[in-house]
Amino acid sequence: MTETVLVVDFGAQYAQLIARRVREAHVYSEIVPHDITAAEIAERRPAALIFSGGPKSVNVEGAPGIDPGVYDLDIPILGICYGAQLIARDLGGTVSNTGRGEYGRCDLTVLGREVLFDHDDAHQSVWMSHFDAIVEPPEGFVVTAASADAPVAALENESRRIFGVQYHPEVAHTPRGQALMERFLYVAAGCTPSWTMDSFIDVAVQQIREQVGGARTICALSGGVDSAVAAALVHRAIGDQLTCVFVDTGLMRKNEGDQVVETFRRHQGIELIHVEAADRFFEGLAGVTEPEAKRKVIGELFIRIFEDAKASVPDAKFLVQGTLYPDVIESGTKHAAKIKSHHNVGGLPDDFDFDLVEPLRALFKDEVRQVGSQLGLPDEIVQRQPFPGPGLGVRIIGEVTPDKVAILQEADAIVREELHAAGLERSIWQSFAVLPDIRSVGVMGDERTYGYPAIIRAVTSDDAMTADWARLPYEVLESMASRIINEVPGINRVAYDITSKPPGTIEWE
Ligand code: XMP
């Protein structure tokens, strides 16, 4: 059985990061909400618990707490920031607002090397973010580190295997943070660093076989990373029982449709129904200019076409979905205002009569990429940037026509090629071209031109919730611009979008 570490989330920005760090130490981890009961935790038999930070003071009413029964389960616990304060408070210590919080880089002095620290840690720089501080440790705890304004910056009770640190070992600004996490995991909790992508694939294959049995299964491939990796993994598990459906909307980037067919049919040997539906999408989009209306047309058509295609696999009982871990933990807590209705082409309605197979539910995006590479998918698919479900349909302002798609595909390909040539691909979240619904006058070879501008959009981001325009070198922008104008008929001007998100969005529609 896989050893699991549960990260108890007290509303931290960092709970996901903590789970990542544990996995980087090759121990599997998952996030659970703080209202989980001690009995529920006991049932899952975790190898250890980590209490995350949180935005509140443990002393205010309504501050998130934990079922006190967890302290008696004899499971090793590490509390981080708020988590450490909660442990201190719950077990009889004192936490108070000393009037001297610490925010940012701080010097830590290690007082005792019991379990969590070793010789290299004696004086180290750590990242703090707290206004309250533990002023009195609970009985039975030793104070093992202090900083200027946190007299109890680390504490431990070795016999109960309960530990706390006021600082954030999970962030990159705490250089020795991962070493501390590893000592907690390996020394205090006795975990073995055995969780790897190979072991993940073996376990997932086993689980998929158990779930699906001998039944037929289908998967809608969008060309994106998640559905591609999910399909390859399910295929590894059940082979010919899987049929993929690829609805080519005609709104994908240059050569992308061919690449999906080539990869899945030829290289992976997966049975693939390739529906070339560009004409139907262009017909549906004729005369439609309003962004939300376009999304609606594309989403509905996709579902209708997928339904037709699935009729050729009448006995299919299971549907593969590329749901990822962040989607799982965020669902239910998302209350952001609707800015755009996101259609995941490949995201299907709830009333489908299928059981879902979601083999990537436990993974973060970069872990999915690793699994994809391990399964032999090419870099062009595995390292792909996010791409909106409605595709180029939302990057062409105004009516979407085959001519405009052809122009945009060429311009967009140049943007991506030049970024790749400059070695900047990995540092950019998304980079693409947009085709607005205006034309301007220019002059080329003594001739007056009247053509479209191409707008280059390149952003940096961590999660697409906020983004900044990428400071691309002028030379890169210049080669993009001159190639687009020289190589793409119909375009006579290039502009660069320097809007961050907010106030802009990443896409133009
Ligand atoms: P915006 O434009 O809202 O985009 O800043 C945030 C991220 O979501 C992607 N995006 C979509 N993805 N279906 C999708 O699957 C959609 O309809 C859609 N619209 C935007 C966008 O590319 C960016 O990564």
Side-chain angles (χ1 to χ4, degrees), residues 72-258:
D72 300 322
L73 294 175
D74 195 28
I75 297 171
I77 303 174
L78 171 66
I80 294 176
C81 192
Y82 182 92
Q85 296 176 1
L86 192 73
I87 291 172
R89 205 266 328 254
D90 284 353
L91 299 181
T94 312
V95 175
S96 53
N97 186 335
T98 57
R100 295 203 310 265
E102 291 169 300
Y103 305 94
R105 209 179 294 283
C106 289
D107 290 325
L108 185 83
T109 304
V110 172
L111 308 171
R113 297 181 192 106
E114 311 290 323
V115 177
L116 291 189
F117 298 106
D118 70 18
H119 289 280
D120 296 337
D121 298 319
H123 289 283
Q124 54 174 310
S125 177
V126 299
W127 193 259
M128 294 271 199
S129 179
H130 67 106
F131 41 88
D132 282 354
I134 303 169
V135 287
E136 193 75 54
E139 212 181 296
F141 278 75
V142 190
V143 177
T144 51
S147 67
D149 288 313
V152 186
L155 70 170
E156 45 190 83
N157 182 325
E158 196 177 341
S159 62
R160 292 184 73 179
R161 298 192 295 170
I162 300 179
F163 306 83
V165 286
Q166 180 58 67
Y167 63 92
H168 288 275
E170 73 277 22
V171 304
H173 300 294
T174 301
R176 298 280 305 155
Q178 187 68 4
L180 177 122
M181 299 281 269
E182 290 179 3
R183 286 180 66 81
F184 170 69
L185 294 168
Y186 307 152
V187 181
C191 295
T192 29
S194 56
W195 195 71
T196 62
M197 282 308 152
D198 277 338
S199 61
F200 169 82
I201 292 172
D202 291 345
V203 172
V205 161
Q206 201 52 40
Q207 285 170 343
I208 294 164
R209 285 184 187 147
E210 278 164 23
Q211 184 189 359
V212 171
R216 285 210 72 81
T217 300
I218 60 174
C219 176
L221 279 180
S222 66
V225 184
D226 307 342
S227 64
V229 176
L233 187 55
V234 172
H235 185 252
R236 164 81 56 103
I238 61 170
D240 292 347
Q241 282 165 251
L242 175 71
T243 303
C244 286
V245 176
F246 171 50
V247 176
D248 193 339
T249 60
L251 302 171
M252 299 186 74
R253 291 176 289 191
K254 189 179 175 186
N255 297 333
E256 221 161 37
D258 294 343

Side-chain angles (χ1 to χ4, degrees), residues 292 295 339-345 385-391 394-395 429-430 432 457 459 461 463-467 501 504-509:
E292 285 297 297
R295 282 191 144 77
I339 310 289
K340 300 171 186 178
S341 59
H342 275 205
H343 278 301
N344 229 339
V345 168
Q385 293 178 347
F387 186 60
V394 292
R395 292 180 179 171
W429 175 265
Q430 274 174 285
F432 51 89
R457 179 78 164 139
V459 296
S461 175
D463 53 11
M465 298 300 288
T466 60
K501 171 184 179 175
T505 51
I506 295 175
E507 305 290 346
W508 268 49
E509 286 195 338

